Amino acid sequence: MGGSQRPTIKTVAARAGVGRTTVSRVINGSELVSDKAKAAVLAAIAELNYVPNSVARGLVTSRTNSVALVIPESESRLGSEPYFSAVIRGVSTALAKTRTQLQLVLVRDQAERDQLTESVAERRVDGVLLVSVHEHDPLPGLLEDMGLPTVLAGRRSPAESLSHVHSDNAGGAAAAVRHLLARGRRTITTISGPLDMDVARSRLQGWREALEEAGHEATEHLVVSADFTEEGGEAAMRSLLEQLPTLDAVFVASDVMAAGALAELRRQGRSVPGDVAVVGFDDSIIARHSNPPLTSVRQPIEEIGNTIARILLEEISNPEEPRQHVVLPTELVVRESS
């Protein structure tokens, strides 16, 4: 057949000399088709090299009993960031009771994004869990357009249309700042995450609100944004100390970055909490093992994993269900660093 158009049900029906309904029935394994019509349709499918799309196959017959957990980050971040392993544990626990397989997909570049898109287009998975959501990542919109059940850990913005689960990021950050104010700290700086992520913007907003409610100015020179890595936290701390040598506290938007900040403070001979009090976010294993042990905002990461998996299974079973937006509580865990 000439042209590079991908064959459709219509072209298969024309080639086989039958109606589109008949083609649909053959694809879906219906008994309501004569052997002769069935043979003609199968021959046309083979000749045209037709790959049925999900609609043609009918969602019931195309179940794969597997879901993809998509993490658009490098292996090094996956390995160094306890957040991801906790989410994976939570997702696995929720799926263990079902017969659903989990595929872990790292999307690090355009080729891997294309591979994922192809996998979704061919419905090799029943749904997608997306972790580490950046505001302008085309992936969530793409998955939504393709009609594949998709649930996010986090959200692109407060107007997120897909189902999503996240911690009370702003509330947790505000609690951290109130704690520092109660300890008598005056110049409370912050190291934020990448500001193209709602999680980072929300934690920054919580920091700002708590300072303003206490009558302090939350000016831009108190903020340095980094990338949720230890090296990023170190560089941001260095930059804050250069700008504000008299700072006496820092709220850091993740424990991993806080570990970098502590290393830099140590290098510059500042005592913690004597000279500078430090509070992190996550309450990961890093917080308990840092020197000194880190005050941190605990978020229920495994529960986030568990909840996104549960919601996804519900959406796969009932695609008409309304989308769910779940916010889980945080709590401040006070240790020696503040």
Side-chain angles (χ1 to χ4, degrees):
M1 195 179 111
S4 60
Q5 270 349 83
R6 278 177 67 176
T8 62
I9 278 200
K10 199 169 158 188
T11 43
V12 172
R15 172 67 62 99
V18 298
R20 277 189 280 187
T21 311
T22 306
V23 176
S24 241
R25 284 179 176 155
V26 172
I27 290 166
N28 291 322
S30 160
E31 301 296 315
L32 306 169
V33 186
S34 72
D35 289 348
K36 186 177 169 213
K38 186 175 178 181
V41 169
L42 292 173
I45 285 174
E47 279 169 42
L48 295 169
N49 215 347
Y50 170 67
V51 179
N53 68 19
S54 60
V55 182
R57 279 208 306 261
L59 292 171
V60 183
T61 52
S62 66
R63 283 283 177 85
T64 62
N65 289 328
S66 69
V67 297
L69 173 62
V70 179
I71 303 179
E73 299 288 351
S74 64
E75 304 94 317
S76 63
R77 257 209 85 199
L78 189 65
S80 64
E81 176 64 84
Y83 174 84
F84 295 122
S85 49
V87 169
I88 293 167
R89 271 200 308 279
V91 169
S92 301
T93 310
L95 296 181
K97 305 176 190 70
T98 71
R99 295 181 58 188
T100 309
Q101 276 190 316
L102 180 62
Q103 296 179 20
L104 183 61
V105 182
L106 293 187
V107 176
R108 293 156 290 200
D109 56 29
Q110 190 55 47
E112 287 180 338
R113 180 175 284 122
D114 292 345
Q115 220 173 340
L116 175 67
T117 308
E118 188 181 313
S119 175
V120 165
E122 292 181 2
R123 282 302 199 270
R124 291 201 284 258
V125 290
D126 296 333
V128 168
L129 298 166
L130 195 53
V131 178
S132 193
V133 188
H134 293 259
E135 187 177 21
H136 300 298
D137 185 346
L139 213 46
L142 197 67
L143 295 166
E144 195 169 13
D145 292 345
M146 290 171 129
L148 191 77
T150 302
V151 181
L152 313 180
R155 57 187 185 178
R156 286 169 286 183
S157 77
E160 182 57 70
S161 52
L162 289 165
S163 287
H164 60 278
V165 179
H166 63 95
S167 298
D168 178 9
N169 290 302
V177 173
R178 285 188 204 110
H179 164 75
L180 289 166
L181 288 164
R183 287 283 202 265
R185 303 294 163 153
R186 309 297 304 154
T187 309
I188 301 173
T189 59
T190 184
I191 298 173
S192 87
L195 295 177
D196 69 337
M197 296 183 79
D198 175 81
V199 57
R201 291 195 302 272
S202 297
R203 289 174 193 175
L204 183 60
Q205 179 197 336
W207 167 85
R208 184 176 290 116
E209 283 170 4
L211 281 182
E212 287 172 351
E213 116 202 338
H216 290 248
E217 278 195 20
T219 50
E220 287 310 305
H221 75 295
L222 298 171
V223 183
V224 173
S225 155
D227 59 358
F228 281 139
T229 67
E230 191 169 345
E231 301 72 32
E234 222 166 296
M237 192 71 246
R238 196 174 313 130
S239 165
L240 281 171
L241 287 166
E242 277 166 23
Q243 294 169 40
L244 290 161
T246 58
L247 69 87
D248 60 2
V250 58
F251 163 60
V252 191
S254 81
D255 288 350
V256 173
M257 292 196 299
L262 286 172
E264 185 58 33
L265 288 164
R266 216 169 14 252
R267 189 176 302 117
Q268 299 213 18
R270 305 287 180 108
S271 72
V272 175
D275 299 326
V276 181
V278 181
V279 179
F281 203 114
D282 286 334
D283 191 38
S284 60
I285 192 164
I286 291 171
R288 297 188 286 284
H289 294 287
S290 64
N291 179 22
L294 185 67
T295 296
S296 185
V297 179
R298 174 178 296 163
Q299 59 165 338
I301 304 173
E302 268 191 58
E303 199 186 327
I304 291 175
N306 219 289
T307 311
I308 56 174
R310 244 187 14 250
I311 292 174
L312 184 63
L313 292 174
E314 286 168 21
E315 291 198 0
I316 290 167
S317 302
N318 307 304
E320 303 310 310
E321 286 285 292
R323 303 262 168 86
Q324 298 184 47
H325 306 152
V326 179
V327 182
L328 297 173
T330 55
E331 68 171 302
L332 185 70
V333 180
V334 180
R335 297 193 182 87
E336 284 86 289
S337 70
S338 62

